[in-house]
Amino acid sequence: MGFTDSMGEPPNASIDPGSSSSTSSSFFESKDHYCDYNELKIKSILKKMAWELAGLACFLPSRRRRISGNNEETEEKKKDKNLEHNKAWLLAESGGCVGAELTNADPHSVHSSFRFSFCSQVELDSMNMSSSIAATVLMVNLDNGLCESRAKELKWRRIESLERSISPVANTLIRFSYGEILTATRCFSKGRVLGRGALSYVFRGRVGLLRTSVAIKRLDKEDKESSKAFCRELMIASSLHHPNVVPLVGFCIDPEEGLFLVYKYVSGGSLECHLHEKKRGIKGSATLSWSVRYKVATGIAQSVAYLHNGTERCVVHRDIKPSNILLSSRKTPKLCDFGLATWTSAPSVPFLCKTVKGTFGYLAPEYFQHGKVSDRTDVYALGVVLLELITGRKPIEARRPPGEENLVLWAKPLLCKGKGAIGELLDPRVKCTLKNSNQVARMIEAAAACVTSEESRRPAIGEIIAILKGEEQPFISKRKKSGFLGNGCVIDCYSQSQQTNSEMRSHLALAMLGVSEFEEDDHLCCR
């Protein structure tokens, strides 16, 4: 039970219920001053505590004691005792009950009037246990002032460390004040919310004299890892410059209100919205045409290739999915949200992570089961997105018939048919013509290659782009070619020879956890 930070320090002397006129007057002055200072604040707390006092079973007799008149303690001794005196006790002394009667009485039947005073741990230990006056002892945390100052000091140290970490790129971005963020989002109005993640919200806002539209990502200030996540995302996103990647505009660091990242606003909405959300009140609302779907597939594949091979250090996104793919007014796809992105030493060089983060349905088997991360992790997730573009289905749907809940598991037998599976796989809302049938077949082939269960047999992103564009593939090794059928389809040898049905069922069961509760959420994080 503690008091608010604004309360004053407690006096270091206790009030003796039986003290005589020999007690020094300075003590009563300090006591009266303390009571006046905290009267209003303590009154409400005492009301809540009064009915519980009798139920607290720690009844201790107190003794008469005199306050020493010797105030010539050195500063060193006061500092040594400071920590002990900050562990203060609240004495609730019964007025009108004799000690023996109070001790023998049922604690829950005591309803006497109480008088309160403070004493330190040192003084409590020195009390004589033979007195006839009883007191209920309550522990009160009165070192909030010290804790608050330490917390503020640690907070400023974290901010200074964060500033040093981002200093190499801070000058290339716009630094916004918290006031500008507040104005841009209209005090974080609910109507401005664009989306949310596991530990963040994204708001639409307008900044600058030209009222430029931006997307403002607000990280959870209560999360202990927010500083690290902010630093990593800022460092990675600020280094990316590609037509199919949403650019980072600036940031805001406020010690009290938290951390913010400001991205360019993309007006066309997310691929998730266009693929899976029906517009309310509009019958037969327009769906994405095949030409747009194919444009999205090639554009996102190129953005992934840029992350893996077009930057100084290989970047693994780890959360490629339709809700993180935005469409411009011209339906140009742009990859966004680098909150889970990380660097790897080089493409195809995996590393192990302790915590698996991402979205169920898009996690590669080696990442989901063993925490193994590489550029192939993104390739698998891209394959799931390609299947969504082809079929119009979500990766996990509990409402589907048995055997069709998991998109990848349902589609794999059909993918082996190659072009012959177009009729079964293609979204019924999309018309298949002679003109686009070849593109559909190439996307099926690319998707089959991406969702290969064995990481070592999964092609790099460059090969996936070549498949999508129908280019020759002289760089595909014979070892990987052995996994291709004559019609260009990939056989998932790993899933047939090494991955048992029980493992796949286990993967499905884990992926299905909480689907009914969180199915509409943008982001799920498994820890």
Side-chain angles (χ1 to χ4, degrees):
M1 188 183 299
F3 292 95
T4 58
D5 296 344
S6 59
M7 290 185 63
E9 288 292 327
N12 291 328
S14 62
I15 298 178
D16 183 1
S19 61
S20 62
S21 58
S22 60
T23 307
S24 63
S25 60
S26 62
F27 169 75
F28 288 102
E29 290 174 3
S30 64
K31 180 253 182 186
D32 293 340
H33 173 72
Y34 184 86
C35 291
D36 292 340
Y37 183 76
N38 293 292
E39 182 178 359
L40 293 176
K41 295 181 179 179
I42 202 172
K43 188 176 292 183
S44 61
I45 297 175
L46 297 183
K47 286 180 181 179
K48 295 177 182 177
M49 289 166 30
W51 69 274
E52 294 177 337
L53 289 176
L56 297 172
C58 182
F59 288 95
L60 297 177
S62 61
R63 75 168 185 87
R64 290 175 190 264
R65 65 183 304 270
R66 295 189 178 185
I67 307 302
S68 173
N70 185 7
N71 294 323
E72 299 176 356
E73 247 187 6
T74 61
E75 288 298 322
E76 272 187 46
K77 291 181 179 178
K78 286 184 179 179
K79 287 180 181 179
D80 292 338
K81 292 185 177 182
N82 187 43
L83 291 177
E84 285 298 319
H85 282 282
N86 275 321
K87 294 178 182 177
W89 297 86
L90 176 63
L91 299 181
E93 300 170 76
S94 60
C97 289
V98 181
E101 295 175 0
L102 187 60
T103 305
N104 296 329
D106 180 6
H108 295 281
S109 66
V110 177
H111 297 285
S112 305
S113 59
F114 291 90
R115 185 172 58 176
F116 296 88
S117 60
F118 291 91
C119 74
S120 68
Q121 177 72 51
V122 175
E123 291 168 324
L124 185 68
D125 293 340
S126 65
M127 292 176 65
N128 188 346
M129 306 297 289
S130 63
S131 176
S132 60
I133 303 298
T136 300
V137 182
L138 305 176
M139 184 64 179
V140 183
N141 181 12
L142 294 176
D143 61 350
N144 286 346
L146 290 177
C147 290
E148 183 184 10
S149 63
R150 289 171 187 163
K152 286 184 178 179
E153 183 181 354
L154 290 174
K155 184 184 292 184
W156 279 106
R157 285 182 182 177
R158 283 195 293 266
I159 294 297
E160 289 174 358
S161 176
L162 182 60
E163 291 282 3
R164 286 194 299 270
S165 299
I166 67 172
S167 59
V169 299
N171 293 332
T172 65
L173 301 169
I174 301 173
R175 182 186 286 266
F176 294 93
S177 68
Y178 178 68
E180 290 175 306
I181 298 293
L182 207 60
T183 302
T185 59
R186 294 183 181 176
C187 298
F188 304 106
S189 168
K190 290 184 179 179
R192 294 269 176 163
V193 175
L194 293 174
R196 66 182 182 89
L199 300 172
S200 63
Y201 275 86
V202 180
F203 297 84
R204 181 181 178 182
R206 292 183 178 274
V207 296
L209 296 175
L210 300 178
R211 309 299 296 161
T212 305
S213 293
V214 292
I216 300 173
K217 183 177 183 178
R218 182 182 194 178
L219 279 73
D220 183 6
K221 63 180 179 181
E222 302 299 330
D223 182 60
K224 295 179 181 179
E225 300 297 319
S226 61
S227 295
K228 292 181 181 178
F230 172 85
C231 180
R232 184 178 59 248
E233 183 170 357
L234 184 143
M235 295 296 289
I236 291 176
S238 64
S239 68
L240 304 177
H241 307 282
H242 189 271
N244 296 114
V245 174
V246 178
L248 181 66
V249 176
F251 64 96
C252 170
I253 299 176
D254 188 276
E256 300 299 327
E257 300 300 332
L259 306 170
F260 305 85
L261 291 164
V262 182
Y263 286 91
K264 183 179 179 181
Y265 177 71
V266 182
S267 61
S270 69
L271 178 61
E272 169 84 13
C273 178
H274 287 281
L275 269 182
H276 303 307
E277 291 184 10
K278 296 180 181 179
K279 297 180 180 179
R280 295 179 181 178
I282 303 178
K283 293 183 179 180
S285 56
T287 185
L288 285 179
S289 64
W290 176 257
S291 60
V292 173
R293 298 186 190 211
Y294 183 72
K295 182 178 181 180
V296 169
T298 55
I300 293 303
Q302 288 170 349
S303 69
V304 174
Y306 170 74
L307 295 182
H308 294 176
N309 305 302
T311 58
E312 291 184 7
R313 299 171 66 183
C314 174
V315 176
V316 179
H317 189 279
R318 285 205 296 175
D319 203 21
I320 296 174
K321 57 181 180 179
S323 61
N324 286 338
I325 298 172
L326 305 180
L327 302 182
S328 69
S329 56
R330 296 183 178 181
K331 298 297 186 289
T332 299
K334 295 179 182 291
L335 189 61
C336 69
D337 193 354
F338 294 87
L340 298 183
T342 185
W343 281 298
T344 63
S345 57
S348 303
V349 178
F351 70 92
L352 295 178
C353 64
K354 295 180 180 179
T355 305
V356 176
K357 298 179 180 179
T359 306
F360 284 128
Y362 301 92
L363 303 179
E366 73 279 359
Y367 178 46
F368 182 84
Q369 296 171 0
H370 309 295
K372 191 176 180 183
V373 178
S374 69
D375 61 331
R376 301 304 199 272
T377 306
D378 285 347
V379 172
Y380 183 91
L382 175 63
V384 180
V385 174
L386 294 181
L387 285 177
E388 289 185 76
L389 288 169
I390 296 167
T391 65
R393 295 189 178 199
K394 292 182 179 182
I396 302 292
E397 290 184 286
R399 299 179 184 88
R400 291 282 180 182
E404 298 184 17
E405 302 95 336
N406 187 299
L407 176 59
V408 174
L409 297 182
W410 168 76
K412 272 189 174 181
L414 298 175
L415 293 175
C416 294
K417 299 180 181 179
K419 197 170 183 178
I422 291 179
E424 297 174 86
L425 287 172
L426 190 61
D427 187 341
R429 297 172 294 177
V430 175
K431 293 181 179 180
C432 180
T433 64
L434 291 174
K435 186 178 180 180
N436 62 28
S437 61
N438 288 333
Q439 291 180 347
V440 176
R442 291 200 298 269
M443 195 181 294
I444 289 175
E445 181 182 347
C450 288
V451 297
T452 301
S453 297
E454 187 181 1
E455 178 205 5
S456 62
R457 299 183 61 84
R458 199 176 302 144
I461 189 61
E463 300 178 37
I464 300 302
I465 292 176
I467 295 173
L468 286 171
K469 292 184 176 181
E471 298 173 352
E472 292 185 6
Q473 306 157 27
F475 46 83
I476 297 179
S477 66
K478 293 182 180 180
R479 179 179 60 84
K480 289 183 178 177
K481 271 191 175 180
S482 63
F484 284 81
L485 293 175
N487 58 5
C489 185
V490 177
I491 301 175
D492 190 355
C493 300
Y494 177 79
S495 62
Q496 294 176 3
S497 61
Q498 298 183 32
Q499 192 165 10
T500 65
N501 291 332
S502 61
E503 287 177 327
M504 295 302 292
R505 283 196 296 269
S506 175
H507 185 282
L508 173 60
L510 288 171
M512 295 298 293
L513 284 176
V515 168
S516 59
E517 183 179 355
F518 298 110
E519 197 168 33
E520 303 302 325
D521 288 356
D522 288 337
H523 184 92
L524 293 176
C525 179
C526 54
R527 292 177 181 264

